[in-house]
Amino acid sequence: MEEQIDVLNRDGTFAGYARGRTEVHAKGLWHRTVHIWAFDKAGRVLFQLRARVKENNPGLLDTSCAGHISAGDDSRNAAVRELREELGVKKRPEELEYLFESGHESVLNGGAYLDNEFYDVYRITLSDEEAGALVPQPGEVDDFVWMTVKEFVETLRQHPEKFVDHPKDFDWLNGMV
């Protein structure tokens, strides 16, 4: 059975029902996701290179980890699940630092995929052991790229086409310089 996702009203409140992921994106229904930014002890930020087989934004650099919040779940639990699935990292919910909430509307694949979402943004710090043992999820993540925040800001300035567009996240990262 397809993953069920809670549908939201345009103001971010729960609409009272859930739908399958395919329907949510075909109709552009508002829903919740999480973004997690992982840093190492040296302060470098981890970007995932999205798998080239992904339907949306294939081969682009993206947040360290992200994903949908399943129906009835909360963002911290979803973030913990996504970290385990996409990075092979096991964290407890209380180890995630909540940063902010943002909303985003995007039309992808010529309008076939409508992504209207509110997302909670978290930050984690990986131990040296965790950072050295990252495991990309097949079909989701092809590789990982570490950058200092200054390297990210410069790369984004010179080559914005290499990144999935997350303006609020990028503003936050840029503010760390």
Side-chain angles (χ1 to χ4, degrees), residues 139-160:
E140 294 285 329
V141 180
D142 279 350
D143 202 0
F144 300 109
V145 176
W146 288 99
M147 292 185 218
T148 67
V149 175
K150 284 184 179 183
E151 289 169 334
F152 158 70
V153 170
E154 185 61 23
T155 305
L156 179 64
R157 187 183 68 73
Q158 291 181 2
H159 299 285

Side-chain angles (χ1 to χ4, degrees), residues 78 81 83 89 101 125 131 135 137:
R81 182 190 73 239
L83 283 166
V89 170
E101 176 189 76
T125 301
V135 179
Q137 182 182 13

Side-chain angles (χ1 to χ4, degrees), residues 56-73:
N56 301 309
N57 302 304
L60 297 182
L61 294 168
D62 202 354
T63 56
S64 309
C65 181
H68 289 87
I69 300 174
S70 299
D73 205 356

Side-chain angles (χ1 to χ4, degrees), residues 92-104:
R92 295 182 318 276
E94 59 271 15
E95 293 179 275
L96 283 78
E97 176 189 353
Y98 176 80
L99 299 174
F100 58 90
E101 176 189 76
S102 186
H104 187 77

